[in-house]
Amino acid sequence: MLIVASTATKVSPIPSSNCLASKLLVLSVHRNRLYGACRTIGEGTVNFVAWKMLTGERPTLFGNLIALCLALFAGVPLYGQTGLTAPSQATVPYGDATLAARDSNSSDSQSQNPYLGGVPTGAASSTAVSLSLEAAVARALRQNLGGLLSADAVSGARGERWRALSALLPNLTTATSLGVRQNDLKAIIGITVPGHPPIIGPFGVFDARAYLDQSVFNWESIEGARSSAAQLKSAQYSYKNAREVIVLVAVSNYLLVVADQSQVESALAQRDTAKALLDQTVDQHKAGLAAAVDVLRSNVELQAREQRLIVARNSLAKQKLVLARAIGLPAGQKFDITTEVAYQPLATSTLDEALQQAYASRADYKSQTEQVRSAELQKKAAAAERYPTLSALVDYGAIGTNPGSSHGTVDAAAVLRFPIFQGGRIHGDNLVADSFLAQAKQRLEDLRASIDQEVRDAFLDLQDTAQEVSVEKNAVQLATETLEQSRDRFAAGVTDNIEVVQAQESLADANDAYIASLYLYNVAKISLARAIGFAESNYAPYLEGK
């Protein structure tokens, strides 16, 4: 597991983000640090950007604030909460790419964000289940609500495709009627026929007939069908992109559970250290080597560590709920994570190679490309409304006074239509098509620029967090040595326990900073995989540094 800790002291500088269609702003305040994560979602694009901490002496908030602007596909709102904690409460913040809002309990917001929800399957067991990272991702890909809704969108696009094709395929219907008629000859033909009664009937009429309507030439329908095919491809690519987002959500939340668990272990170790210091101070006070204020100071430190442990355990439990929700575990199912995520340096390709891979692999980029193609074909379909159309109409059936005395009849015709004046509808359709095409091209260019930024951001974050991990690891070693020397000096009566308490605080901060930097580094790996378009296939090798 990670080296454990309680609070963080350093994180990376604030990178920028170009939100394509919507932004998730997550503000998490834990102890004396304010973290934020800006998540960009739009047209299938997700970019992770960290808003690093703002320092302060005491915490004032404990929770999350989420602001949603627009949506992905049919809408991808995200959720969060705000809340308050006592001034002495503390948990470690992890900042970058915290997809699930920490400590969120807003049912309205949660129901609005499909990627943070899931469709639970099975019944919860009374015992905790083991959950590996691979199992969490696999379950999320099956049960995450965002993926299920995206799959439904593909089915809807396939239905629209069949609707468009129906205008080109034969339309065959049948109708059967059996009735009684009575006719007035004069009303029908306008004259009275001598020698015939003015009223004929009543008499029975039976008619069974098949009708065939076949479009022979309709260029508007042809281009419309081609446009719907491009829309179907776009939806399929959007589904692949949704799977990339799901992997990012599942992995980031799993890593956050790993970090929270490390925080609990850190808080427990710091509590044990504070207890040992209190016992040592009491013994020295009894021996007349320490003042009573030293005992009080050690006791205060122990209580602070106890409170920090309580908050850390609560944070871990709530983050597990967020993960379980995103991957569709049964409600109330307890689980234990089994995958250890240690520091593994990642050898990456060059920036130019990564950009070329991103443009060739990103499903959202392919989806938007198909959107442009669909808009171009729809523009052609609008222009084709001015073209003549040719269709064939045939009906064949049997008619008579009853089924036994009926005889066959047929009616066939070819219909050629020329649009002369449509009241400005064709002109309006062309203006709408031009608008859609311009918007699709603009979104594509914006997405291309956004991908470039995401890849560059990921490279910068990866380099920055790798350096942070190295620095914080050294800081932990130095703080550990400082604490050992301070305890030795206090035991020898050279100094009071103020120095020991300060050294313990420094070690806690160093451990927390190491946890935060390691979490950010691992998330930077996954963000790079996502930025290139390899999150689903390469998340495990990237975490392993391969």
Side-chain angles (χ1 to χ4, degrees):
M1 302 300 293
L2 302 174
I3 293 180
V4 295
S6 302
T7 55
T9 55
K10 292 178 64 180
V11 290
S12 307
I14 301 175
S16 61
S17 173
N18 179 21
C19 295
L20 184 61
S22 66
K23 292 184 178 181
L24 166 65
L25 180 61
V26 180
L27 300 180
S28 303
V29 182
H30 300 286
R31 188 169 181 252
N32 59 346
R33 304 293 184 264
L34 172 63
Y35 276 81
C38 178
R39 176 177 174 214
T40 306
I41 301 179
E43 301 297 327
T45 302
V46 174
N47 179 27
F48 288 98
V49 182
W51 282 13
K52 308 303 181 182
M53 64 179 82
L54 302 176
T55 60
E57 292 301 323
R58 284 287 181 262
T60 57
L61 294 173
F62 180 67
N64 310 281
L65 171 64
I66 296 181
L68 173 67
C69 303
L70 296 175
L72 168 68
F73 312 131
V76 186
L78 300 179
Y79 74 98
Q81 78 158 27
T82 59
L84 297 175
T85 65
S88 58
Q89 287 184 329
T91 61
V92 73
Y94 305 107
D96 191 17
T98 307
L99 291 183
R102 184 188 284 279
D103 307 322
S104 33
N105 59 9
S106 170
S107 59
D108 291 340
S109 299
Q110 193 171 16
S111 63
Q112 292 174 357
N113 177 21
Y115 289 98
L116 294 179
V119 179
T121 58
S125 61
S126 57
T127 59
V129 298
S130 298
L131 183 66
S132 65
L133 177 60
E134 291 76 11
V137 171
R139 187 177 183 89
L141 289 173
R142 294 193 308 269
Q143 303 302 134
N144 184 272
L145 181 59
L148 295 175
L149 294 180
S150 183
D152 294 338
V154 174
S155 298
R158 189 173 288 110
E160 292 296 333
R161 164 72 170 157
W162 277 107
R163 283 184 178 180
L165 285 175
S166 68
L168 300 175
L169 299 177
N171 288 278
L172 180 63
T173 59
T174 63
T176 301
S177 64
L178 179 62
V180 177
R181 296 182 184 177
Q182 183 175 3
N183 297 329
D184 185 340
L185 281 181
K186 186 174 182 180
I188 295 176
I189 63 177
I191 60 174
T192 300
V193 179
H196 291 275
I199 303 299
I200 301 177
F203 58 91
V205 177
F206 169 78
D207 189 10
R209 194 163 302 278
Y211 300 88
L212 175 65
D213 184 356
Q214 171 64 63
S215 174
V216 178
F217 175 80
N218 189 325
W219 197 248
E220 177 189 358
S221 297
I222 293 174
E223 295 291 4
R226 294 172 64 191
S227 175
S228 66
Q231 285 286 353
L232 176 58
K233 288 183 179 180
S234 176
Q236 291 170 339
Y237 283 127
S238 293
Y239 173 67
K240 293 180 180 179
N241 180 72
R243 293 177 65 88
E244 293 275 303
V245 177
I246 292 169
V247 170
L248 206 54
V249 170
V251 173
S252 298
N253 278 292
Y254 193 97
L255 291 175
L256 197 54
V257 171
V258 172
D260 280 349
Q261 185 162 300
S262 299
Q263 180 192 3
V264 171
E265 296 171 1
S266 170
L268 185 61
Q270 296 299 328
R271 191 276 310 272
D272 293 342
T273 300
K275 189 175 184 303
L277 175 60
L278 176 60
D279 293 340
Q280 182 182 14
T281 305
V282 170
D283 292 341
Q284 288 196 327
H285 176 63
K286 292 179 179 179
L289 300 178
V293 68
D294 290 334
V295 177
L296 292 175
R297 187 182 298 115
S298 297
N299 204 351
V300 170
E301 180 67 13
L302 176 59
Q303 298 306 312
R305 297 300 167 181
E306 288 282 5
Q307 187 180 41
R308 184 172 299 177
L309 177 59
I310 294 172
V311 176
R313 285 172 172 167
N314 180 67
S315 179
L316 172 61
K318 296 177 77 171
Q319 182 56 35
K320 280 188 172 183
L321 293 177
V322 173
L323 176 60
R325 181 81 173 86
I327 65 177
L329 281 177
Q333 177 63 63
K334 297 180 180 180
F335 65 91
D336 297 319
I337 58 174
T338 60
T339 301
E340 296 184 2
V341 185
Y343 174 74
Q344 295 289 348
L346 177 65
T348 62
S349 58
T350 64
L351 177 60
D352 291 337
E353 291 175 344
L355 286 171
Q356 293 304 317
Q357 289 176 337
Y359 295 135
S361 304
R362 286 280 291 260
D364 53 346
Y365 189 75
K366 293 179 180 180
S367 176
Q368 187 57 42
T369 301
E370 291 297 330
Q371 288 285 341
V372 172
R373 173 170 170 75
S374 176
E376 290 173 343
L377 293 171
Q378 197 59 44
K379 166 63 179 174
K380 293 181 179 180
E385 293 180 26
R386 296 187 174 94
Y387 301 166
T389 62
L390 178 63
S391 60
L393 303 176
V394 179
D395 73 79
Y396 175 80
I399 188 171
T401 57
N402 57 68
S405 62
S406 61
H407 58 84
T409 61
V410 63
D411 185 10
V415 180
L416 179 63
R417 292 185 175 88
F418 289 87
I420 304 299
F421 178 70
Q422 305 296 322
R425 179 181 60 84
I426 297 178
H427 178 65
D429 290 346
N430 277 269
L431 291 178
V432 172
D434 287 338
S435 174
F436 285 160
L437 178 58
Q439 293 176 27
K441 289 182 176 179
Q442 291 163 2
R443 290 193 183 100
L444 181 63
E445 291 304 315
D446 178 72
L447 179 56
R448 185 177 181 87
S450 178
I451 291 174
D452 179 270
Q453 180 185 355
E454 289 176 33
V455 174
R456 294 178 186 275
D457 283 347
F459 266 80
L460 292 174
D461 289 342
L462 195 65
Q463 296 171 2
D464 174 71
T465 53
Q467 295 174 3
E468 283 189 17
V469 170
S470 178
V471 171
E472 301 303 347
K473 186 175 182 179
N474 291 333
V476 169
Q477 295 174 351
L478 294 174
T480 301
E481 294 176 2
T482 300
L483 178 59
E484 292 174 354
Q485 293 182 13
S486 297
R487 293 188 65 177
D488 292 341
R489 285 165 54 82
F490 176 65
V494 178
T495 183
D496 57 21
N497 66 350
I498 294 180
E499 181 178 316
V500 181
V501 171
Q502 292 175 342
Q504 188 176 355
E505 289 282 352
S506 297
L507 178 59
D509 289 344
N511 278 335
D512 291 345
Y514 178 75
I515 289 179
S517 64
L518 185 54
Y519 169 77
L520 294 175
Y521 179 66
N522 285 325
V523 169
K525 290 180 182 180
I526 302 303
S527 298
L528 178 59
R530 161 59 187 159
I532 297 177
F534 295 157
E536 182 177 359
S537 59
N538 285 356
Y539 74 91
Y542 268 57
L543 285 178
E544 296 170 359
K546 298 178 182 179

